[in-house]
C-alpha cells in the first residue's frame, strides 16, 4: 500500500452525528497518515471545508441541519476534485443512485467493516494522488 | 317460588296465557249458550200461555153464547176446548214446560177450578132443569168461568214474573262474568307483558352498559331461569360482541403493523448506528490492541457496552409498541412519560423527516387511566401523519396541558404542513377512509376508537393557511381521597 508516500498531503473530513464514528475513524486514518478532522454537525464542517478544502470527505447521510446530499453538493462546489464517501444507516436504492448521479465516490451502508471503508479510502487516496501527479 | 311453576320459554308463556284466556272465554260462551237455550224455552212457555188464553177466550165466548141463546152445542164445543186447556196445564201436551215454572199448587188450584167449570157445563148439558135451577147454574157457570180465567191469568203472570226473574239473573251473571273476566284478562296481559318484557328490558340495559364500556359481555345466568329464548339471544349477542372485539383487535394490530412499517427507516437507522459503533470500536480494538494503553482500551470497551444498551433500548421500545396487549388492562399512565417514550421511539423518524420539534410538556405529572400501549399507538399515528404531511421540513409541535376547571388533560400535536381541507376533515376518522395511495384508512379510525374507549375526545382542526392540529382530550385520574 502507498500509505506513506505523500499521505500527509491528504486531508480527510469525517462528518457523523455519532461521535464514536468520528473518534474511531480519526484513530484509524491518522495512523494511516491522513490529516483527519471530525465533526458531528455538518454546518461547522462546511465552514472548515471552506477555510481549507479537504481531499476526502466521509459523511453520514441523515443529520440535523444538513443532510449528506447537501454536504456532497457543497463539497463539490468548493472542491470539485474532492472524493465524497456517504455512509448511512438506512440505505435505499433511490438515494444511492441519486448520490452516484451527483458524483459521490462511494456509498456505504452502516454497519460497515473497517476494511471495507479502508479500501474505499485508499482507492480515493490513490485516485487523488494520481490526479495530483498528472497535474 | 311461583316461578317454579311457570314455563321457562316465551313460547310456553304464550301458550299458558292463551289457554287461560281460552278457558275463561269458553266459560263465558257456555254461559251465554245456556242462557240462550233457557230463554228459548221460556219463549215456548209464553207461547203456551198465549194458546191457553186464546182457548179460554173461545170457551168464554161459547159460554156467553150459551147464556144468551141456551144452545147446548155451544157448551159441548166449550168443553172440548176446556179439555185442550187441561191437557196443556196438566202437562200432558208436548208443551209441558209450565210445571217447571209455575208452582204446582197453583196449577192444581186452576185444574180444580177447571173441573168445577167443566162440571157445571156438563150439568147444564144434562136433562132439563127448571128455570130457577137453570138460572142458578148459569150464575155459577159464569162465576166459575170467571174464577178459572182469573186463575189461569194468575198462572200466566206468575210464569211471566218467573221469566223476568230468570232474565234478570242471566243479565246479572253476564255482568258478573264481564266484571270478572275483564280485569283478569287485563291482569294476565300485564303479567304476560312483564314475563316477556322484563328479560328483554334487562338485555337492553346490559347492552347499554356494554356500549358504555362498564361490562364486556351481557350476564346470562339470571335470565336462563325465566326465559330460555332470551338466554339464547344473550348467547348470540355475546358471541357477536366477542367477534366484534376480536375484529377490533385485529384492526388495531393491523394498524399497528402499518405504523411499524412506516417507522422501519427510523428503526433501521436507529439500530444500525449503535451496531456500527460497536463494530468499529471492536475492530479498532482488535487491530491495535497492543498499541493502546489500558485506559484507552477500557474507554473503548465502555463505548461498546453503552452502544449495546442503546440498541437494546431501541428493540425494547419496538417490542413494547408492536406487542398485542389485552385491551382490558388499564393502569395509571403519566402522559408525560408516555409522550416522551413515544418521541424516543420515533426520534429517528422525526430526525429523518428533517422536521424541527417543539415540545411543551408540564413539570408535574399528568396522570390518566388507560392502556399505555393503545394510547401510544394513537400518538405514534398522529405524529407519523404530521411528519408525512410536512414532507421534509417544518415544525412538529407537541403540547400537553390541563384544561382549566375540568378534570381533563389535553395533548395537542400540530404540524406546519399544508393543512387538511374541510371535505377530507369530516371523513378523517371513518374507517378505510384514506387520501394516501398506500394508506389503509385504519390509523385515525382506530385512534378514534381507542380515545373514545378511554372516555376521551379526539378532534382535528386546520387553519386556512395550512397547518393541522390534532387535539386529544383524556380524563385525568385522581386518587380517590382527592375527591372526598
Amino acid at each position: 500500500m502507498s500509505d506513506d508516500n505523500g499521505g500527509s498531503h491528504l486531508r480527510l473530513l469525517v462528518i457523523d452525528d455519532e461521535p464514536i464514528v468520528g473518534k474511531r475513524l480519526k484513530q484509524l486514518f491518522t495512523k494511516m497518515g491522513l490529516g483527519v478532522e471530525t465533526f458531528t454537525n455538518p454546518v461547522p464542517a462546511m465552514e472548515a471545508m471552506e477555510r481549507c478544502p479537504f481531499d476526502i470527505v466521509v459523511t453520514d447521510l441523515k443529520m440535523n441541519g444538513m443532510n449528506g446530499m447537501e454536504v456532497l453538493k457543497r463539497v463539490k462546489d468548493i472542491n470539485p476534485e474532492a472524493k465524497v464517501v456517504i455512509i448511512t444507516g438506512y440505505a435505499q436504492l433511490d438515494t444511492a443512485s441519486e448520490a452516484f448521479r451527483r458524483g459521490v465516490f462511494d456509498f456505504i451502508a452502516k454497519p460497515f467493516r473497517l476494511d471495507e471503508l479502508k479500501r474505499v479510502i485508499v482507492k480515493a487516496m490513490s485516485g487523488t494522488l494520481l490526479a495530483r501527479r498528472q497535474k | 317460588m311461583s316461578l317454579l311453576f311457570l314455563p321457562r320459554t316465551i313460547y310456553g308463556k304464550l301458550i299458558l296465557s292463551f289457554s287461560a284466556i281460552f278457558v275463561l272465554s269458553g266459560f263465558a260462551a257456555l254461559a251465554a249458550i245456556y242462557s240462550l237455550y233457557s230463554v228459548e224455552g221460556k219463549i215456548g212457555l209464553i207461547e203456551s200461555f198465549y194458546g191457553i188464553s186464546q182457548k179460554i177466550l173461545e170457551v168464554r165466548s161459547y159460554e156467553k153464547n150459551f147464556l144468551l141463546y141456551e144452545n147446548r152445542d155451544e157448551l159441548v164445543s166449550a168443553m172440548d176446548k176446556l179439555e185442550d186447556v187441561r191437557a196443556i196445564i196438566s202437562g200432558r201436551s208436548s208443551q209441558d214446560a209450565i210445571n217447571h215454572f209455575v208452582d204446582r199448587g197453583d196449577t192444581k188450584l186452576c185444574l180444580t177450578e177447571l173441573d168445577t167449570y167443566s162440571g157445571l157445563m156438563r150439568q147444564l148439558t144434562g136433562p132439563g132443569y127448571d128455570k130457577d135451577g137453570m138460572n142458578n147454574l148459569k150464575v155459577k157457570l159464569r162465576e166459575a168461568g170467571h174464577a178459572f180465567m182469573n186463575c189461569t191469568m194468575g198462572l200466566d203472570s206468575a210464569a211471566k214474573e218467573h221469566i223476568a226473574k230468570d232474565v234478570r239473573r242471566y243479565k246479572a251473571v253476564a255482568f258478573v262474568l264481564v266484571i270478572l273476566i275483564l280485569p283478569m284478562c287485563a291482569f294476565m296481559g300485564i303479567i304476560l307483558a312483564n314475563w316477556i318484557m322484563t328479560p328483554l328490558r334487562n338485555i337492553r340495559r346490559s347492552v347499554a352498559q356494554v356500549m358504555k364500556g362498564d361490562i364486556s359481555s351481557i350476564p346470562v345466568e339470571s335470565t336462563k331461569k325465566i326465559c330460555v329464548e332470551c338466554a339464547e339471544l344473550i348467547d348470540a349477542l355475546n358471541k357477536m360482541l366477542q367477534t366484534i372485539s376480536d375484529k377490533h383487535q385485529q384492526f388495531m394490530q393491523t394498524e399497528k403493523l402499518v405504523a411499524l412499517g412506516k417507522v422501519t427507516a427510523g428503526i433501521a437507522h436507529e439500530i444500525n448506528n449503535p451496531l456500527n459503533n460497536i463494530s468499529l470500536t471492536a475492530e479498532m480494538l482488535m487491530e491495535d490492541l497492543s498499541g493502546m494503553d489500558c485506559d484507552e482500551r477500557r474507554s473503548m470497551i465502555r463505548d461498546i457496552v453503552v452502544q449495546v444498551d442503546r440498541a437494546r433500548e431501541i428493540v425494547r421500545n419496538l417490542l413494547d409498541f408492536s406487542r398485542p396487549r389485552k385491551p382490558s388492562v388499564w393502569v395509571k399512565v403519566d402522559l408525560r412519560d408516555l409522550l416522551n417514550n413515544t418521541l424516543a421511539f420515533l426520534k429517528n423518524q422525526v430526525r429523518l423527516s428533517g422536521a424541527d420539534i417543539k415540545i411543551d410538556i408540564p413539570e408535574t405529572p399528568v396522570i390518566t387511566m388507560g392502556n399505555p400501549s393503545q394510547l401510544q399507538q394513537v400518538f405514534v399515528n398522529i405524529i407519523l401523519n404530521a411528519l408525512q404531511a410536512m414532507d421534509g421540513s417544518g415544525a412538529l409541535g407537541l403540547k400537553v396541558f390541563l384544561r382549566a376547571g375540568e378534570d381533563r388533560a389535553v395533548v395537542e400535536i400540530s404540524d406546519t404542513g399544508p393543512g387538511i381541507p374541510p371535505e377530507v376533515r369530516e371523513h378523517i376518522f371513518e374507517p378505510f377512509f384514506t387520501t394516501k395511495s398506500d394508506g389503509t384508512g385504519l390509523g385515525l379510525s382506530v385512534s378514534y376508537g381507542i380515545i373514545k374507549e378511554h372516555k376521551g375526545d379526539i378532534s382535528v382542526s386546520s387553519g386556512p393557511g395550512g397547518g393541522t392540529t390534532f387535539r386529544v382530550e383524556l380524563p385525568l385520574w385522581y386518587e380517590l381521597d382527592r375527591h372526598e
Side-chain angles (χ1 to χ4, degrees):
Chain A
M1 287 207 183
S2 56
D3 283 8
D4 298 342
N5 54 355
S8 55
H9 309 301
L10 294 182
R11 300 181 70 237
L12 171 70
L13 173 64
V14 177
I15 318 167
D16 195 312
D17 49 7
E18 295 285 331
I20 289 179
V21 173
K23 272 200 294 196
R24 297 293 107 86
L25 296 191
K26 188 165 186 168
Q27 276 177 306
L28 177 70
F29 292 114
T30 308
K31 238 177 46 179
M32 282 171 62
L34 288 159
V36 182
E37 278 190 53
T38 64
F39 289 88
T40 52
N41 190 326
V43 181
M46 286 303 99
E47 285 162 10
M49 177 84 193
E50 267 167 33
R51 278 199 301 274
C52 180
F54 291 88
D55 303 297
I56 304 168
V57 177
V58 174
T59 177
D60 194 8
L61 186 62
K62 296 280 183 183
M63 291 172 294
N64 282 331
M66 189 187 288
N67 71 27
M69 289 301 202
E70 286 170 72
V71 169
L72 170 63
K73 189 173 171 294
R74 290 281 293 277
V75 168
K76 287 284 178 188
D77 285 350
I78 298 166
N79 177 14
E81 298 298 313
K83 307 275 189 294
V84 178
V85 177
I86 292 180
I87 49 177
T88 178
Y90 185 62
Q92 279 173 305
L93 197 61
D94 52 346
T95 335
S97 52
E98 167 83 7
F100 280 111
R101 215 159 41 77
R102 292 200 189 176
V104 76
F105 184 74
D106 213 337
F107 194 93
I108 299 174
K110 280 183 186 175
F112 51 84
R113 300 300 299 261
L114 222 44
D115 282 346
E116 199 182 341
L117 182 66
K118 243 198 263 182
R119 204 165 41 239
V120 171
I121 297 298
V122 166
K123 210 167 86 187
M125 281 163 66
S126 45
T128 309
L129 290 172
L130 195 69
R132 242 180 230 185
R133 231 172 271 143
Q134 279 169 354
K135 270 181 191 173
Chain B
M1 284 300 280
S2 64
L3 283 181
L4 288 177
F5 305 105
L6 280 181
R8 282 169 48 192
T9 59
I10 291 181
Y11 177 76
K13 283 165 188 169
L14 284 175
I15 294 287
L16 177 72
S17 310
F18 279 108
S19 310
I21 289 171
F22 180 75
V23 167
L24 281 176
S25 39
F27 179 66
L30 284 178
I33 290 168
Y34 172 74
S35 310
L36 284 176
Y37 270 109
S38 307
V39 167
E40 198 180 30
K42 272 148 214 182
I43 288 170
L45 179 69
I46 288 167
E47 273 170 0
S48 9
F49 273 109
Y50 181 72
I52 289 171
S53 37
Q54 287 295 311
K55 289 199 163 76
I56 289 174
L57 281 177
E58 280 180 56
V59 170
R60 294 298 310 269
S61 82
Y62 289 136
E63 176 206 317
K64 199 188 261 171
N65 286 344
F66 170 73
L67 292 179
L68 287 175
Y69 311 113
E70 294 196 2
N71 182 349
R72 289 201 166 93
D73 291 346
E74 300 281 351
L75 277 183
V76 173
S77 301
M79 278 159 66
D80 282 352
K81 289 284 173 200
L82 266 184
E83 283 316 304
D84 287 353
V85 171
R86 182 201 300 278
I88 295 171
I89 293 179
S90 63
R92 279 194 300 272
S93 115
S94 62
Q95 292 169 319
D96 59 358
I98 292 170
N99 287 336
H100 261 292
F101 300 100
V102 182
D103 193 336
R104 239 165 237 284
D106 289 352
T107 325
K108 275 204 182 109
L109 196 70
C110 285
L111 286 175
T112 317
E113 297 280 359
L114 189 144
D115 285 343
T116 315
Y117 189 36
S118 96
L120 284 168
M121 280 185 189
R122 203 170 291 116
Q123 279 181 14
L124 283 166
T125 52
Y129 287 91
D130 58 13
K131 203 164 184 188
D132 279 352
M134 183 69 112
N135 282 343
N136 199 17
L137 275 177
K138 274 182 181 172
V139 170
K140 273 189 185 159
L141 180 70
R142 194 182 289 125
E143 280 171 355
H146 194 70
F148 175 61
M149 203 167 77
N150 278 347
C151 184
T152 54
M153 273 165 72
L155 278 184
D156 184 27
S157 60
K160 272 184 182 149
E161 194 178 315
H162 194 89
I163 290 166
K165 212 163 80 189
D166 273 3
V167 167
R168 273 201 303 276
R169 205 169 66 219
Y170 296 147
K171 271 203 281 194
V173 167
F175 193 64
V176 166
L177 276 179
V178 167
I179 293 274
L180 280 180
I181 287 174
L182 266 188
M184 270 174 85
C185 283
F187 179 69
M188 286 197 48
I190 291 167
I191 294 275
L192 182 67
N194 263 340
W195 280 346
I196 296 172
M197 287 312 292
T198 306
L200 290 180
R201 247 183 246 127
N202 286 343
I203 292 174
R204 194 178 56 190
R205 201 176 306 127
S206 302
V207 167
Q209 276 177 306
V210 169
M211 290 204 307
K212 263 168 63 189
D214 295 345
I215 50 177
S216 61
S217 65
I218 304 166
V220 72
E221 277 314 311
S222 59
T223 313
K224 240 182 213 165
K225 291 195 198 86
I226 50 172
C227 176
V228 172
E229 288 97 334
C230 302
E232 286 167 4
L233 176 66
I234 290 175
D235 274 345
L237 283 173
N238 279 340
K239 282 206 187 85
M240 190 182 74
L241 282 174
Q242 188 56 46
T243 312
I244 291 174
S245 154
D246 289 350
K247 283 269 179 288
H248 187 59
Q249 284 301 303
Q250 281 174 15
F251 265 176
M252 294 224 285
Q253 197 55 22
T254 307
E255 200 282 316
K256 222 187 243 180
L257 292 179
V258 170
L260 213 54
K262 288 183 197 158
V263 299
T264 335
I267 301 286
H269 202 257
E270 189 81 328
I271 291 180
N272 281 337
N273 271 323
L275 281 181
N276 191 53
N277 291 339
I278 292 164
S279 139
L280 278 181
T281 310
E283 282 196 87
M284 280 305 292
L285 270 171
M286 225 155 50
E287 195 170 286
D288 200 17
L289 197 62
S290 52
M292 294 176 192
D293 61 30
C294 247
D295 282 348
E296 204 173 352
R297 287 184 216 156
R298 195 171 288 129
S299 141
M300 287 173 76
I301 291 168
R302 195 179 303 120
D303 277 350
I304 294 180
V305 172
V306 169
Q307 295 302 310
V308 168
D309 280 347
R310 192 176 146 198
R312 184 165 47 211
E313 181 66 15
I314 295 157
V315 172
R316 192 184 61 79
N317 264 334
L318 186 63
L319 287 182
D320 267 0
F321 179 74
S322 60
R323 187 180 299 136
R325 291 259 180 97
K326 277 190 185 164
S328 52
V329 180
W330 276 31
V331 291
K332 273 198 280 180
V333 180
D334 187 346
L335 281 179
R336 299 177 315 151
D337 293 346
L338 185 89
L339 285 164
N340 282 329
N341 285 344
T342 308
L343 285 176
F345 176 60
L346 293 174
K347 192 175 75 191
N348 248 347
Q349 202 65 30
V350 174
R351 217 161 48 123
L352 289 178
S353 78
D356 293 328
I357 182 157
K358 287 179 198 145
I359 302 173
D360 179 5
I361 293 180
E363 300 282 308
T364 50
V366 182
I367 310 284
T368 185
M369 265 311 252
N371 181 320
S373 151
Q374 288 186 347
L375 289 175
Q376 186 176 39
Q377 190 178 350
V378 172
F379 295 123
V380 164
N381 200 354
I382 297 175
I383 292 172
L384 285 179
N385 280 345
L387 293 178
Q388 203 170 1
M390 290 187 289
D391 193 27
S393 60
L396 174 77
L398 177 69
K399 193 177 173 192
V400 180
F401 57 94
L402 303 183
R403 213 164 79 181
E406 280 175 65
D407 298 344
R408 282 168 98 79
V410 181
V411 179
E412 278 186 355
I413 295 167
S414 57
D415 66 57
T416 53
I420 304 170
E423 65 272 16
V424 172
R425 227 182 300 149
E426 63 183 293
H427 298 294
I428 203 162
F429 294 112
E430 290 171 11
F432 305 113
F433 177 83
T434 181
T435 55
K436 302 169 189 165
S437 57
D438 58 344
T440 58
L442 286 177
L444 283 173
S445 73
V446 167
S447 299
Y448 184 87
I450 291 173
I451 295 300
K452 284 289 163 193
E453 244 171 66
H454 284 76
K455 312 217 183 317
D457 277 311
I458 180 169
S459 61
V460 59
S461 58
S462 226
T468 304
T469 301
F470 275 87
R471 186 184 164 99
V472 174
E473 283 190 26
L474 288 167
L476 282 177
W477 185 84
Y478 287 117
E479 295 284 352
L480 272 181
D481 55 69
R482 282 189 59 178
H483 272 305
E484 282 162 9

